[in-house]
Amino acid sequence: MKAVIIHGQSHKGSTYNVVRMFADSLGAEVKEFFLPRDFGNDCVGCNRCLLTSEEACPHRERILPIIKAMDEADVIVLASPVYVYHVTGAMKSFLDHLAYRWMLHRPNPDMFFKIGVCISTAAGGGLNSANKDMSDSLFFWGTGKIYRYGVHVRSVAWDAVSAEIKARIEKQTRRLAAKVKSRAVKVRPSLKTKIYFGVMRMLHKRLDIAPPDKEYWDGYGWTGENRPWKH
């Protein structure tokens, strides 16, 4: 099993340590990326990825190693500490660059067989909204199964987190890793994903969709009888 971890920060604080607990229990071959160290460009809203091709993105060369790692992975982990009730700006900028992969546009069919994991930490509130920021993208990419894990560490510094809380986190991440391992060999998209895909299919049949998206969908036969989870 292969996993890719995309950290929404470059320092190794509480979120990093929680993710490492999960990764150690998962026992997968892991690739890690740190934002903004490994990718820190803001989306400039040029729409080239949507209207022309993802290859036309001005930041394509730098983001490509992360995309390739995602495509090769069985498990995609998005991790971010809570910044003002949401993910970090670096994580948001990264997700903005992948709008072309949403189901309406050009989703990678392999995503429907992958597992996504969202992990966030906070000293206070914002866990749900931060995990939603990340899980929304995972869902709209077509990810077959998505897990969320958020934990209050009660401190901004990992060294200040109590041994009791760390022990509880280790137990919870071990349990989460066991769930992921049990599902990794039999991932199938949820009914909600299939219904949403059906809505996108209807839009493709009724609306004037951008040529790159129409060509992509027609190439896979998705406006006909084919479905990405049946390939």
Side-chain angles (χ1 to χ4, degrees):
M1 181 168 53
K2 294 183 178 181
V4 59
I5 301 172
I6 303 167
H7 297 274
Q9 79 293 320
S10 295
H11 62 275
K12 297 182 177 180
S14 295
T15 310
Y16 170 81
N17 282 279
V18 171
V19 171
R20 286 313 313 174
M21 286 183 180
F22 168 75
D24 291 345
S25 295
L26 189 62
E29 177 186 336
V30 174
K31 286 186 178 180
E32 289 183 284
F33 297 91
F34 295 84
L35 310 175
R37 187 191 72 187
D38 295 320
F39 181 76
N41 298 92
D42 290 332
C43 175
V44 297
C46 65
N47 285 324
R48 294 178 187 174
C49 64
L50 298 177
L51 302 178
T52 306
S53 166
E54 61 269 26
E55 300 295 334
C57 173
H59 309 135
R60 179 68 175 176
E61 184 176 345
R62 191 168 183 214
I63 199 174
L64 193 56
I66 306 180
I67 292 175
K68 287 183 176 179
M70 289 171 53
D71 290 344
E72 294 170 358
D74 304 294
V75 181
I76 299 172
V77 181
L78 301 180
S80 176
V82 173
Y83 282 14
V84 292
Y85 253 64
H86 291 279
V87 293
T88 64
M91 175 61 76
K92 179 63 168 61
S93 292
F94 168 74
L95 296 175
D96 286 346
H97 280 79
L98 297 179
Y100 73 90
R101 285 198 162 208
W102 280 35
M103 270 189 265
L104 178 63
H105 303 295
R106 302 186 296 280
N108 182 338
D110 291 338
M111 289 300 299
F112 293 83
F113 300 95
K114 296 181 185 291
I115 293 176
V117 180
C118 304
I119 296 178
S120 64
T121 68
L127 293 174
N128 289 338
S129 54
N131 272 337
K132 187 177 185 300
D133 289 339
M134 297 182 287
S135 63
D136 279 350
S137 282
L138 285 167
F139 173 76
F140 290 116
W141 295 340
T143 309
K145 178 65 178 177
I146 302 169
Y147 293 94
R148 299 185 189 186
Y149 177 67
V151 59
H152 293 101
V153 292
R154 300 181 186 176
S155 173
V156 295
W158 181 247
D159 290 342
V161 177
S162 70
E164 180 184 359
I165 291 177
K166 288 179 179 177
R168 174 163 51 85
I169 292 171
E170 186 172 12
K171 182 178 180 180
Q172 291 171 342
T173 53
R174 187 166 59 244
R175 188 181 303 128
L176 175 60
K179 289 181 181 179
V180 172
K181 285 191 286 188
S182 69
R183 289 294 299 269
V185 295
K186 51 184 177 181
V187 180
R188 291 294 182 272
S190 67
L191 178 61
K192 178 182 176 182
T193 298
K194 292 180 179 180
I195 291 173
Y196 186 83
F197 183 89
V199 173
M200 299 302 100
R201 176 176 174 269
M202 181 176 63
L203 292 177
H204 268 271
K205 296 180 73 171
R206 295 185 178 183
L207 301 180
D208 184 19
I209 300 296
D213 298 344
K214 184 180 187 310
E215 182 179 348
Y216 189 88
W217 273 66
D218 288 347
Y220 279 107
W222 291 342
T223 52
E225 299 300 320
N226 293 345
R227 299 294 180 268
W229 53 87
K230 294 181 179 180
H231 81 285

Coordinates of all heavy atoms in Angstrom, one line a residue, residues 76-80 116-120 130-136 138 146-150 176:
I76 N -4.5 9.0 0.3 CA -4.1 10.4 0.2 C -4.5 11.1 1.5 O -5.6 11.1 1.9 CB -4.8 11.2 -0.9 CG1 -4.5 10.5 -2.3 CG2 -4.5 12.7 -0.9 CD1 -5.3 11.1 -3.5
V77 N -3.5 11.6 2.2 CA -3.7 12.2 3.5 C -3.5 13.8 3.3 O -2.4 14.2 2.9 CB -2.7 11.7 4.6 CG1 -2.9 12.4 5.9 CG2 -2.8 10.2 4.7
L78 N -4.5 14.5 3.7 CA -4.4 16.0 3.7 C -4.4 16.4 5.1 O -5.3 16.0 5.9 CB -5.5 16.6 2.9 CG -5.7 16.2 1.5 CD1 -6.9 17.0 0.9 CD2 -4.5 16.6 0.7
A79 N -3.4 17.1 5.6 CA -3.2 17.5 7.0 C -3.0 19.0 7.1 O -2.2 19.6 6.4 CB -2.1 16.7 7.6
S80 N -3.7 19.6 8.1 CA -3.5 21.0 8.3 C -3.8 21.4 9.8 O -4.9 20.9 10.3 CB -4.4 21.8 7.4 OG -4.3 23.2 7.7
G116 N -9.2 8.8 1.1 CA -8.7 10.1 1.5 C -8.8 10.2 3.0 O -9.8 9.7 3.6
V117 N -7.8 10.8 3.7 CA -7.9 11.0 5.1 C -7.6 12.5 5.4 O -6.5 13.0 4.9 CB -6.8 10.1 5.8 CG1 -6.9 10.4 7.3 CG2 -7.1 8.6 5.5
C118 N -8.4 13.1 6.1 CA -8.2 14.5 6.5 C -7.8 14.5 8.0 O -8.6 14.0 8.8 CB -9.5 15.4 6.3 SG -10.1 15.3 4.6
I119 N -6.8 15.2 8.3 CA -6.3 15.3 9.7 C -6.1 16.8 10.1 O -5.4 17.5 9.4 CB -5.0 14.5 10.0 CG1 -5.3 13.0 9.7 CG2 -4.5 14.7 11.4 CD1 -4.1 12.1 9.9
S120 N -6.7 17.2 11.2 CA -6.4 18.6 11.6 C -6.2 18.6 13.1 O -6.7 17.7 13.9 CB -7.6 19.5 11.2 OG -8.8 19.1 11.9
A130 N -12.0 23.1 9.2 CA -10.7 22.8 8.5 C -10.8 21.4 7.8 O -10.4 21.3 6.7 CB -9.6 22.8 9.6
N131 N -11.3 20.4 8.5 CA -11.5 19.1 7.8 C -12.4 19.2 6.7 O -12.2 18.5 5.7 CB -11.9 18.1 8.8 CG -10.7 17.4 9.6 OD1 -9.6 17.4 9.1 ND2 -11.0 16.9 10.7
K132 N -13.5 20.0 6.8 CA -14.4 20.2 5.7 C -13.7 20.8 4.5 O -14.0 20.4 3.3 CB -15.6 21.0 6.1 CG -16.7 21.0 5.0 CD -17.9 21.8 5.5 CE -19.1 21.7 4.4 NZ -18.7 22.3 3.2
D133 N -12.8 21.8 4.7 CA -12.1 22.4 3.6 C -11.4 21.3 2.8 O -11.4 21.4 1.5 CB -11.1 23.4 4.1 CG -11.7 24.6 4.7 OD1 -12.8 25.0 4.4 OD2 -11.0 25.3 5.5
M134 N -10.8 20.4 3.5 CA -10.0 19.4 2.8 C -10.9 18.2 2.2 O -10.7 17.8 1.1 CB -8.9 18.8 3.7 CG -7.9 19.8 4.2 SD -6.6 19.2 5.2 CE -7.5 19.0 6.8
S135 N -11.9 17.8 3.0 CA -12.7 16.7 2.5 C -13.6 17.1 1.4 O -14.0 16.3 0.5 CB -13.6 16.2 3.7 OG -14.5 17.2 4.2
D136 N -14.0 18.4 1.3 CA -14.7 18.9 0.1 C -14.0 18.6 -1.2 O -14.6 18.1 -2.1 CB -15.0 20.4 0.2 CG -16.2 20.7 1.1 OD1 -16.9 19.8 1.5 OD2 -16.4 21.9 1.4
L138 N -11.6 16.4 -1.6 CA -11.5 14.9 -1.8 C -12.8 14.4 -2.4 O -12.8 13.5 -3.3 CB -11.2 14.3 -0.5 CG -9.7 14.4 0.1 CD1 -9.7 13.9 1.5 CD2 -8.8 13.6 -0.8
I146 N -13.7 8.5 2.4 CA -13.0 9.6 3.1 C -13.2 9.5 4.6 O -14.3 9.3 5.1 CB -13.6 11.0 2.6 CG1 -13.4 11.1 1.1 CG2 -12.9 12.2 3.3 CD1 -14.2 12.3 0.5
Y147 N -12.1 9.7 5.3 CA -12.1 9.7 6.8 C -11.7 11.1 7.2 O -10.8 11.7 6.6 CB -11.2 8.7 7.4 CG -11.6 7.2 7.1 CD1 -11.1 6.5 6.0 CD2 -12.5 6.6 7.9 CE1 -11.5 5.2 5.8 CE2 -12.9 5.3 7.7 CZ -12.3 4.6 6.6 OH -12.7 3.3 6.4
R148 N -12.2 11.5 8.4 CA -11.8 12.8 9.0 C -11.4 12.5 10.4 O -12.0 11.7 11.1 CB -13.0 13.8 9.0 CG -13.6 14.2 7.7 CD -14.6 15.3 8.0 NE -15.4 15.6 6.8 CZ -16.3 16.6 6.8 NH1 -16.5 17.4 7.9 NH2 -17.0 16.9 5.7
Y149 N -10.3 13.2 10.8 CA -9.9 13.1 12.2 C -9.4 14.4 12.6 O -8.4 15.0 12.1 CB -8.8 12.0 12.4 CG -8.2 12.0 13.8 CD1 -9.0 11.5 14.8 CD2 -6.9 12.4 14.1 CE1 -8.5 11.4 16.1 CE2 -6.4 12.3 15.4 CZ -7.2 11.8 16.4 OH -6.8 11.8 17.7
G150 N -10.0 15.0 13.6 CA -9.6 16.3 14.2 C -9.4 16.1 15.7 O -10.2 15.4 16.4
L176 N -7.8 4.4 13.6 CA -8.1 5.0 12.2 C -7.3 4.3 11.2 O -7.8 3.9 10.1 CB -7.8 6.5 12.2 CG -7.9 7.2 10.9 CD1 -9.4 7.1 10.3 CD2 -7.5 8.7 11.0

